[in-house]
Amino acid sequence: MAATAVLMAALPTGTGPFMVAEFYGREAGITARVVLVSTIASLVTITLYLSLR
């Protein structure tokens, strides 16, 4: 159960927050960068986690 929680925490931010920011006209550019950075970071974190398991 703990391994599943750790793996879920390593996943990137979804596009939902970007769609909400775009809809309300609030900081869509920053939200897009967060989605991009979290996706790139998740590649590293998930790979490391799975290699250590």
Side-chain angles (χ1 to χ4, degrees):
M1 197 72 132
T4 302
V6 171
L7 191 58
M8 293 295 291
L11 293 176
T13 304
T15 58
F18 171 75
M19 290 187 281
V20 171
E22 184 71 25
F23 180 77
Y24 288 109
R26 302 283 188 189
E27 306 299 337
I30 292 173
T31 308
R33 283 189 288 268
V34 168
V35 171
L36 176 64
V37 169
S38 70
T39 300
I40 293 169
S42 74
L43 292 173
V44 174
T45 57
I46 291 172
T47 302
L48 285 174
Y49 180 73
L50 291 176
S51 69
L52 294 173
R53 270 196 106 225

